[in-house]
Structures are given as structure tokens and as C-alpha cells.
Amino acid sequence: MNYIYKGTVCSDLETIKNFIDKTVTNLDSLISDRDLIFDIKVILNELIVNGALHGNECVSSKCVSLTLKMSQDKLTIEVQDEGDGIQYDPGEYNPSDLKSWGRGLVLVNGLSDEFYVDRNRVVSVKNIV
């Protein structure tokens, strides 16, 4: 089964919550594994909210785009914001520093089977078999 979804959401946290809930509801009909759905929802929350807060700096006229591509064995989640992007090195995050930033991408990296950051575009791949 192949599934492709493309959508955008403006950088408003309440709108983002509804957008993610609707996206997860659509995936519920395609994926029966509850633990996998939970991981996907965490990934979507972290990436889309990060894009709105850090990439778009909560400017409501700027949007975050989401592309989901599902094949028989994997789901690719691509999120892109309108910001300048970042250089991401997962080894730079030290949990003992107690910083309030950086944990989200470390969490997504841990939940993903593959994870890439290319400036303002982030790709997470989850195996679904």
C-alpha cells in the first residue's frame, strides 16, 4: 500500500495541535500498531512544533509543511519550515547540561530508524513492518 500526504500548517500552536491530531487520525486507519502510532505522533509533534517555534519564530504568516510517504515497509516523515535552518549534530547534546533546547531532535532521532537534518528540512523514517 502506498500513501502520500502533503499539508501545511501556519505557526500557531493551537492550529498545529489540530493539524497533528487530524494527521494521526488519518494514519490510524492505515497502521494498527498502537506503539508505532504513538512514536509517529511524538515525532510529528516535535518536528512540527520545533519548525514553528524555532524555524518560523512563531510568525503566524509562516508555515510548516509536512509530507508523509508510506510504502509497505516504511513511513517517511518530512517537515520543512521557512527559517534559515540549523546544523544538527546529535553528539553535541549533553543531557547533564540541563539545557531547554535540543532534546526534541535527540528524541526524534532515537524514535526514528533513519533521521536527517538538512538546514530547515528534517526527515524521519520509521520502519512499519
Side-chain angles (χ1 to χ4, degrees):
M1 164 201 318
N2 289 326
Y3 171 81
I4 296 177
Y5 170 81
K6 292 184 180 213
T8 59
V9 61
C10 292
S11 297
D12 170 74
L13 294 180
E14 187 61 33
T15 304
I16 288 170
K17 180 189 178 311
N18 294 333
F19 178 78
I20 292 170
D21 287 346
K22 181 180 174 185
T23 302
V24 171
T25 298
N26 289 340
L27 289 173
D28 272 337
S29 64
L30 303 171
I31 300 171
S32 60
D33 183 330
R34 305 311 318 147
D35 292 333
L36 182 57
I37 287 290
F38 179 82
D39 288 356
I40 292 166
K41 186 170 184 175
V42 171
I43 291 168
L44 290 171
N45 271 303
E46 290 297 329
L47 295 182
I48 294 171
V49 170
N50 276 355
L53 291 176
H54 303 295
N56 293 344
E57 299 175 340
C58 290
V59 175
S60 61
S61 63
K62 292 184 177 183
C63 294
V64 177
S65 64
L66 169 66
T67 302
L68 300 174
K69 296 178 186 173
M70 189 164 66
S71 65
Q72 300 222 341
D73 61 347
K74 68 181 177 179
L75 174 68
T76 302
I77 301 166
E78 181 178 325
V79 175
Q80 186 167 359
D81 60 54
E82 295 185 47
D84 294 331
I86 61 167
Q87 296 294 321
Y88 174 70
D89 179 0
E92 287 181 6
Y93 181 76
N94 181 351
S96 64
D97 289 341
L98 301 176
K99 294 178 183 172
S100 62
W101 53 267
R103 290 184 306 255
L105 292 181
V106 171
L107 182 62
V108 171
N109 188 24
L111 290 173
S112 301
D113 295 299
E114 298 175 44
F115 183 64
Y116 312 96
V117 177
D118 181 22
R119 298 184 41 92
N120 67 336
R121 185 175 73 85
V122 181
V123 178
S124 168
V125 178
K126 276 299 272 183
N127 294 331
I128 57 174
V129 287

